[in-house]
């Protein structure tokens, strides 16, 4: 009898194990980052809507795969779903990186318009790799972190400058700074060891890295609103039941709306947090603004020269609207 009960329990256990599945989901940013919070909410929404049949287990801060490997891990099916910084794919096609062109889209309205132009094109490009975008959320506008106020682009010359994607590498080089690749989670250490002296990123990443521990000035250049994207492996998605597929798509739509709202709120809140912690929050001088715009113009001209027809289609759809 005991043996029967035990095997019965095992059979039951196995039964649920076969039905319910867990998706491991690597993400690059830390737990306090609003993108990660939004993704955990997304996972919970999927779990609720499927009565626990599909659980998404979030592995944040590059703990399962380093950021640079997340896309290929989803592509190869090592994991069914993952998040990454969209513009890191601009080496594959510039269509992925158009959101990081300085001063092309600097408000949430413009960022939304740009995403609408970008979405069909990158959906097509990702589809060729067996991937499908689920949702994409922008970071707040990117500002400049330095020690002391930067009065003109000349003041950036020679600084060890953080670059998180190819566009920012080009930007740093045009400003005669020295680009250094550092993941967001490694920012505090890179500054404390002298690897970095300046960076461009959002108030979210600035405040989450406690930027006041290593720089004293934030200049609101509001230069671009780059996005994160969550993609799913299409084969993994196709294996879900119809109800589960709907649960994922519904939760993704909700996460996209919620994520954009969170981002908008963060912009002011995190800037205030930096101010409360003693940082000077300054507007760019006209001279700095002009110098940055000149770099932006040069970058866009280079971009157009190298852009694929797909990338140009995104720019035309955005500018033509
Ligand atoms: N934070 C991320 C990407 C853009 C942003 O605001 C980072 O700095 O890596």
């Amino acid at each position: 009898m005991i043996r029967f009960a035990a095997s019965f329990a095992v059979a039951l256990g196995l039964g649920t194990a076969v039905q319910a599945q867990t998706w491991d989901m690597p993400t690059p940013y830390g737990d306090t980052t609003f993108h990660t919070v939004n993704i955990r909410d997304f996972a919970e929404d999927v779990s609720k809507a499927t009565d626990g049949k599909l659980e998404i287990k979030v592995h944040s801060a590059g703990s399962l795969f380093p950021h640079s490997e997340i896309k290929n891990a989803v592509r190869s099916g090592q994991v069914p779903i993952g998040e990454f910084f969209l513009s890191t794919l601009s080496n594959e096609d510039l269509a992925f990186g158009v959101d990081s062109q300085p001063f092309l889209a600097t408000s949430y309205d413009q960022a939304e318009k740009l995403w609408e132009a970008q979405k069909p094109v990158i959906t097509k490009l990702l589809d060729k790799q067996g991937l499908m975008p689920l949702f994409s959320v922008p970071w707040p506008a990117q500002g400049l972190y330095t020690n002391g106020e930067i009065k003109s682009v000349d003041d950036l010359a020679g600084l060890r400058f953080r670059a998180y994607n190819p566009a920012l590498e080009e930007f740093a080089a045009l400003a005669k700074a020295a680009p250094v690749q550092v993941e967001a989670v490694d920012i505090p250490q890179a500054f404390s060891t002298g690897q970095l002296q300046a960076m461009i990123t959002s108030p979210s990443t600035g405040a989450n890295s406690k930027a006041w521990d290593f720089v004293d000035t934030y200049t609101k250049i509001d230069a671009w609103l780059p996005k994160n994207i969550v993609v799913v492996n299409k084969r993994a998605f196709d294996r879900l039941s119809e109800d589960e597929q709907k649960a994922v798509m519904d939760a993704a739509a909700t996460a996209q709306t919620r994520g954009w709202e969170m981002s908008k709120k963060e912009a002011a809140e995190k800037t205030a947090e930096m101010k409360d912690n003693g940082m000077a929050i300054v507007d760019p001088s006209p001279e700095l603004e002009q110098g940055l715009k000149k770099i932006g113009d040069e970058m866009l001209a280079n971009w157009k020269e190298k852009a694929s027809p797909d990338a140009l289609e995104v720019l035309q759809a955005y500018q033509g609207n």
Side-chain angles (χ1 to χ4, degrees), residues 11 25 32 54 64 89 109 127 138 167 173 179-180 233 242 279:
M25 176 171 189
T32 55
L54 179 60
L64 189 59
L89 301 193
D109 282 351
D127 184 76
V180 186
N233 178 295
E242 233 168 76
M279 287 179 72

Side-chain angles (χ1 to χ4, degrees), residues 29 33-35 67 85 87 138-143 145 162-165 168 182-185 187 199-206 209 224-228:
Y29 302 98
T33 303
F34 76 95
H35 289 282
H67 190 180
F85 192 44
S87 50
W139 294 87
Q142 308 286 290
Y145 297 73
R162 174 170 181 252
Y164 55 46
N165 67 13
L168 200 40
V182 176
E183 283 299 322
V185 286
I187 290 173
M199 65 178 173
I200 286 181
T201 188
S202 59
S204 303
T205 298
S209 329
W224 60 90
L225 285 82
K227 293 183 294 291
N228 285 0

Side-chain angles (χ1 to χ4, degrees), residues 144-191:
L144 178 63
Y145 297 73
T146 54
N147 271 308
E149 197 181 336
I150 296 292
K151 299 246 159 54
S152 75
V153 168
D154 290 345
D155 293 344
L156 296 173
L159 292 181
R160 286 188 290 281
F161 202 93
R162 174 170 181 252
Y164 55 46
N165 67 13
L168 200 40
E169 252 169 62
E170 185 183 359
F171 175 94
L174 287 171
K176 301 196 173 53
V180 186
Q181 277 185 31
V182 176
E183 283 299 322
V185 286
D186 300 323
I187 290 173
Q189 203 196 347
F191 273 94

Side-chain angles (χ1 to χ4, degrees), residues 9-246:
V10 167
L12 261 185
L14 272 183
T16 42
V18 168
Q19 272 190 357
Q21 53 175 321
T22 299
W23 276 9
D24 286 309
M25 176 171 189
T27 75
Y29 302 98
D31 284 323
T32 55
T33 303
F34 76 95
H35 289 282
T36 314
V37 173
N38 187 36
I39 283 173
R40 289 195 191 280
D41 287 350
F42 161 74
E44 207 177 306
D45 288 348
V46 170
S47 170
K48 272 193 207 139
T50 61
D51 290 324
K53 288 211 188 76
L54 179 60
E55 298 284 352
I56 296 177
K57 186 160 186 244
V58 180
H59 302 265
S60 60
S63 57
L64 189 59
F65 286 96
H67 190 180
S68 58
E69 289 175 22
I70 291 178
K71 191 215 93 190
N72 281 337
V74 184
R75 182 181 181 177
S76 67
Q78 282 171 283
V79 285
I81 187 169
E83 180 204 31
F84 53 87
F85 192 44
L86 180 60
S87 50
T88 52
L89 301 193
S90 59
N91 284 334
E92 291 183 17
D93 193 301
L94 287 176
F96 291 112
V98 67
D99 64 15
S100 298
Q101 284 301 306
F103 308 110
L104 184 65
T106 58
S107 66
Y108 281 99
D109 282 351
Q110 290 176 337
E112 202 177 326
K113 211 161 110 182
L114 185 58
W115 172 233
E116 272 160 24
Q118 212 179 5
K119 191 179 173 191
V121 173
I122 65 159
T123 300
K124 183 183 82 180
L125 293 173
L126 289 172
D127 184 76
K128 288 183 191 157
Q129 305 190 21
L131 298 169
M132 177 171 77
L134 287 182
F135 59 94
S136 183
V137 172
W139 294 87
Q142 308 286 290
L144 178 63
Y145 297 73
T146 54
N147 271 308
E149 197 181 336
I150 296 292
K151 299 246 159 54
S152 75
V153 168
D154 290 345
D155 293 344
L156 296 173
L159 292 181
R160 286 188 290 281
F161 202 93
R162 174 170 181 252
Y164 55 46
N165 67 13
L168 200 40
E169 252 169 62
E170 185 183 359
F171 175 94
L174 287 171
K176 301 196 173 53
V180 186
Q181 277 185 31
V182 176
E183 283 299 322
V185 286
D186 300 323
I187 290 173
Q189 203 196 347
F191 273 94
S192 69
T193 56
Q195 222 189 327
L196 284 181
Q197 296 171 301
M199 65 178 173
I200 286 181
T201 188
S202 59
S204 303
T205 298
N208 287 344
S209 329
K210 299 197 189 316
W212 47 87
D213 285 345
F214 44 83
V215 286
D216 57 22
T217 306
Y218 177 70
T219 308
K220 290 165 71 171
I221 59 172
D222 290 349
W224 60 90
L225 285 82
K227 293 183 294 291
N228 285 0
I229 192 164
V230 170
V231 300
V232 67
N233 178 295
K234 279 175 39 190
R235 271 171 291 131
F237 184 80
D238 289 345
R239 280 197 295 266
L240 297 177
S241 70
E242 233 168 76
D243 287 352
E244 288 163 349
Q245 291 184 356
K246 184 174 179 323

